[in-house]
Amino acid sequence: MKRIVLLLLIVVTMVGCSNVYSADEGYRMSLINYSFPIPKNSSEIKPEACVGEISKSSKYKLKGIGGDENGPPEHYLNEIMEWGWEPVEEKSSDMIRFYSKENKTICVLFNKNVFDVYEITAEK
C-alpha cells in the first residue's frame, strides 16, 4: 500500500512540474544558433536527423507553444523579431515560420507542446 501511495505521489509531482509557455519566463539562446531566442523554460528533446537542406536542428518541449487553432504565442514571434530576425512571409504559414538574419535562415515548426528549430542551408 505504501508503494502505491508513493508511486502516485511521484507521478502527480512529475505532472505538476511540466513547463508551460510564459512570456514572463524570458528567453535564452538556441543550441543551433546563438542569436535565435528559445523560451527559457523549454526542455530540449532529441531532434530529428538533418537531411536535405537542413544543416542543424533542435527540438524543444513546452506546453502551450503551439498546435492549436490559435497558432504559436504572439509574444514569442515578436521576441524573435526583437532579436533581429526578419520574417520570410512568402514561405511561412500558421504553424511553420521562416526567419532570416545575416545570410542565415531559421525555420520553426510548431506542434502541440513541441517545437522544432531548423537552420536551413543557404540556397545557391
Side-chain angles (χ1 to χ4, degrees):
M1 181 67 178
K2 287 182 182 180
R3 288 183 181 174
I4 293 173
V5 172
L6 181 61
L7 180 63
L8 184 59
L9 182 62
I10 290 171
V11 169
V12 169
T13 302
M14 290 176 68
V15 170
C17 293
S18 298
N19 292 336
V20 178
Y21 175 79
S22 170
D24 296 334
E25 291 291 325
Y27 299 88
R28 60 185 166 94
M29 300 177 293
S30 166
L31 295 173
I32 64 167
N33 189 307
Y34 295 142
S35 68
F36 194 83
I38 299 297
K40 252 187 200 175
N41 59 343
S42 60
S43 304
E44 186 184 12
I45 55 180
K46 185 175 174 156
E48 307 297 324
C50 296
V51 294
E53 61 187 24
I54 298 171
S55 59
K56 298 178 187 176
S57 71
S58 58
K59 187 176 200 119
Y60 301 90
K61 182 172 137 182
L62 183 62
K63 285 188 178 182
I65 195 68
D68 57 14
E69 58 276 350
N70 298 329
E74 199 64 36
H75 187 273
Y76 180 42
L77 301 178
N78 291 335
E79 186 72 20
I80 294 170
M81 290 185 288
E82 285 182 27
W83 283 43
W85 290 87
E86 295 293 324
V88 182
E89 299 293 342
E90 61 272 6
K91 290 184 175 182
S92 297
S93 66
D94 287 342
M95 296 305 195
I96 301 172
R97 303 294 174 107
F98 285 84
Y99 295 91
S100 65
K101 177 180 175 181
E102 299 172 357
N103 297 321
K104 298 279 186 181
T105 301
I106 296 284
C107 172
V108 186
L109 173 62
F110 294 95
N111 291 300
K112 186 174 183 176
N113 302 325
V114 174
F115 65 105
D116 295 274
V117 179
Y118 302 110
E119 187 171 288
I120 308 298
T121 305
E123 296 179 17
K124 295 178 182 179

